[in-house]
Amino acid sequence: MTDTTGYDVYLFPNAIEALGDAGKPYLKDGPAGTHFSCKDVDTSGMLTEMTLDTGDGKEVEVMIPTNMVRMIVSNSNAAGEFGFGRRGATVEPGIPPAKS
């Protein structure tokens, strides 16, 4: 299996409507809703910058106002864990294990 990483960027419904025809070539429909499928996302400014693969070996950078973004989900196929839970941590000597 190849390790691919990327992100699915979901927008608020009114944001999709506001993008209109300009956003349609870059948006994808999926079971969880309409989204951008990106190679890279930068949310550090007023605009969310997304790098999208056009499928023909080219990349396009799309920038939208950050307040249009509802959720960003990592779609990594790499083996690993995601989130804030315990990750197979070992118990330190003298510290009892947490009770579930």
Side-chain angles (χ1 to χ4, degrees):
M1 175 168 70
T2 60
D3 293 342
T4 59
T5 58
Y7 303 92
D8 290 337
V9 179
Y10 293 89
L11 307 179
F12 290 104
N14 60 343
I16 295 169
E17 182 181 332
L19 290 175
D21 290 338
K24 285 182 182 177
Y26 308 109
L27 290 167
K28 295 184 178 183
D29 288 321
T34 303
H35 63 280
F36 290 102
S37 185
C38 312
K39 292 176 67 175
D40 191 30
V41 177
D42 180 2
T43 60
S44 64
M46 290 177 53
L47 297 174
T48 297
E49 301 178 19
M50 301 172 284
T51 304
L52 287 65
D53 186 358
T54 60
D56 58 358
K58 297 179 183 176
E59 293 180 352
V60 65
E61 189 168 309
V62 175
M63 294 175 264
I64 60 171
T66 299
N67 63 356
M68 288 184 160
V69 177
R70 178 174 51 168
M71 175 174 62
I72 300 174
V73 179
S74 170
N75 61 18
S76 174
N77 290 334
E81 297 180 25
F82 180 78
F84 296 100
R86 293 180 61 108
R87 297 191 176 140
T90 59
V91 176
E92 296 290 327
I95 300 174
K99 295 182 180 178
S100 307

